[in-house]
Amino acid sequence: MADRYATFTRTGPGRFLTRRLGLPQPAALHRWSPERPAIEGPLLLMTAGDIPLPGLHESLTRTGTPPHTGPLGSRRPAAVVLDATGVATVTALADVHAALHPVVRSITPSGRVLVLGAPLSPADHHQAAAQQALEGFVRSLGREIGRGRTVQLVRTPSASAAEAPLRFLLSPKSAYVSGQVIDVDDTTAAAAADAEAPAAADSAARPLAGRTALVTGAARGIGTAVAEVLARDGAHVVVLDVPSAAQDLHRVAEHLQGTALPLDITADDAGERIAAALPDGLGVLVHNAGITRDRRFANMAADRWSSVVEVNLASVLRTTDFLLKSGTLRRGSRVVATASIAGLAGNAGQTNYAASKAGVVGFVRSLAPRALAEHGVTVNAVAPGFIETRMTAAVPLFLREAGRRMNSLGQGGLPVDVAEATAWLATGAVNGQVLRVCGQSLLGA
Ligand SMILES: NC(=O)c1ccc[n+]([C@@H]2O[C@H](COP(=O)([O-])OP(=O)(O)OC[C@H]3O[C@@H](n4cnc5c(N)ncnc54)[C@H](O)[C@@H]3O)[C@@H](O)[C@H]2O)c1
């Protein structure tokens, strides 16, 4: 499962050889750890366009990284935030170039470029053209910036609504997220702030304190990592997996001082069983359980099709509907589903899997606004790219190597990368978003 090529390129001879041969040299990413919890180095704040976003300086300071607005002298920025919310004409796009061009080279490895944009105006096509241009710019800079550095666009109506995405995107927790566009709005941000857990989150370090979180498919792989990160963030975790995985499941539960719930999520009464196990309600529901049964469509028997759709999609809809109806999911609860870039891009041999994962995206986009308005519940999805797990270890070597390298960071992600994004979505800061955790994969870009 280990990425031996990436390990080799970080040795002396490996560095020499790969440079000589012009082969990719995937950077060692700076991921979150208690010892290195923040990006290391100054944050530079710049503005493009005429009107800066009011309160942005204060918002950035609250994220824990007070910005510099003047020259940094000999120091290199670890992050650059460009406030481009005021770019309302195509002419003003020149400011984007003028601001970033002189500094882009100097950003430290694993550093960040974060562009703030404004929501596209339906009434002003000049503003919409200029703001949409930022998306193409960000996605392209992400492709070429290299050295583990990432580039994102956050479209926001205000500094306060952007605060939660800034906190995540400026931290090492988002190391494998690049080339993404996140849309935030004031309503969701306010609803999330309103719906703090009863024993209010005790600090920024434990944002899920006082909450119960259920993770399906948590006996191994990404699900275990999600449970670990949610527990680290203060949640009491209930881990669910098929009864045949009960031994591993109990081990995970014990390690996290959580509760094991051996249950096949496709069972007709799965919703009832979950509701019965959680009489005090559920703060966070993570639909992570998933299977693949790959075959070219022409060779695919009906049971391969239906088993994948049943586990990955039908059970997600059935349990969510039941838990909303039963009030187990209630004001302040958050749902995070697991899609996949295969569902966005399509993948040969995976018509069943891609259909199920695209279905997850449809489910999120349609339910999110209604769930928030009617129940005070946010609904989002993560869409992982190539993640180093048993699922991808089973992929034939050539395809596995292609999957690892075909992204802007030149390497596969780790389960913890998906877990960090899931934990962030579980804070309820955004709604109806599909956040890719794929190192900016070339697939479905
Ligand atoms: N690994 C990747 O690269 C990748 C990429 C994109 C999306 N994903 C998605 O991420 C999720 C986790 O993937 P993973 O790589 O950790 O997979 P995995 O196969 O290692 O783990 C999946 C877990 O789900 C459980 N599960 C399967 N069917 C179940 C059911 N009916 N009821 C309860 N539990 C069930 C399995 O027992 C297993 O423990 C899946 O939804 C997968 O589709 C993974």
Side-chain angles (χ1 to χ4, degrees), residues 66-90:
H68 296 259
T69 47
L72 295 174
S74 60
R75 290 192 305 160
R76 296 166 62 185
V80 176
V81 173
L82 178 69
D83 173 7
T85 53
V87 171
T89 62
V90 172

Side-chain angles (χ1 to χ4, degrees), residues 74-352:
S74 60
R75 290 192 305 160
R76 296 166 62 185
V80 176
V81 173
L82 178 69
D83 173 7
T85 53
V87 171
T89 62
V90 172
T91 316
L93 283 171
D95 291 2
V96 174
H97 180 272
L100 284 176
H101 181 258
V103 295
V104 73
R105 239 188 262 273
S106 66
I107 299 167
T108 56
S110 274
R112 302 282 191 274
V113 176
L114 241 150
V115 177
L116 289 183
L120 269 57
S121 166
D124 179 353
H125 54 285
H126 289 255
Q127 187 269 7
Q131 286 294 324
Q132 187 72 35
L134 296 175
E135 186 170 326
F137 166 69
V138 158
R139 293 198 201 274
S140 302
L141 186 61
R143 296 251 179 258
E144 62 186 41
I145 195 164
R147 307 185 72 191
R149 296 175 286 196
T150 61
V151 188
Q152 340 274 352
L153 173 65
V154 177
R155 285 199 197 105
T156 183
S158 67
S160 56
E163 210 167 299
L166 284 168
R167 186 173 283 121
F168 174 64
L169 295 171
L170 288 171
S171 100
K173 293 178 179 175
S174 60
Y176 197 64
V177 176
S178 192
Q180 296 306 294
V181 179
I182 298 179
D183 288 300
V184 287
D185 62 84
D186 287 321
T187 328
T188 309
D194 268 8
E196 270 312 311
D202 56 9
S203 75
R206 287 167 60 83
L208 300 176
R211 286 179 176 272
T212 298
L214 175 81
V215 185
T216 70
R220 68 180 207 201
I222 294 172
T224 300
V226 170
E228 285 168 355
V229 170
L230 297 179
R232 176 203 70 191
D233 285 357
H236 172 84
V237 289
V238 179
V239 288
L240 179 153
D241 211 297
V242 285
S244 58
Q247 207 178 351
D248 286 340
L249 191 65
H250 279 107
R251 214 181 355 252
V252 173
E254 199 177 321
H255 172 60
L256 300 175
Q257 294 171 335
T259 310
L261 185 56
L263 172 66
D264 186 330
I265 198 66
T266 64
D268 286 343
D269 62 348
E272 283 94 328
R273 302 258 311 268
I274 293 170
L278 296 160
D280 297 329
L282 180 57
V284 177
L285 169 60
V286 181
H287 292 293
N288 164 80
I291 59 168
T292 51
R293 297 284 182 272
D294 298 356
R295 277 283 189 286
R296 296 247 163 200
F297 186 64
N299 301 328
M300 187 179 290
D303 64 327
R304 284 191 175 258
W305 174 272
S306 53
S307 57
V308 169
V309 170
E310 185 59 27
V311 176
N312 296 2
L313 182 59
S315 72
V316 170
L317 292 161
R318 215 169 27 237
T319 46
T320 308
D321 287 351
F322 184 88
L323 296 173
L324 278 171
K325 207 169 75 196
S326 64
T328 310
L329 292 168
R330 50 186 75 167
R331 178 153 293 284
S333 299
R334 291 96 197 237
V335 177
V336 185
T338 309
S340 163
I341 56 165
L344 308 175
N347 203 12
Q350 291 200 310
T351 49
N352 50 356

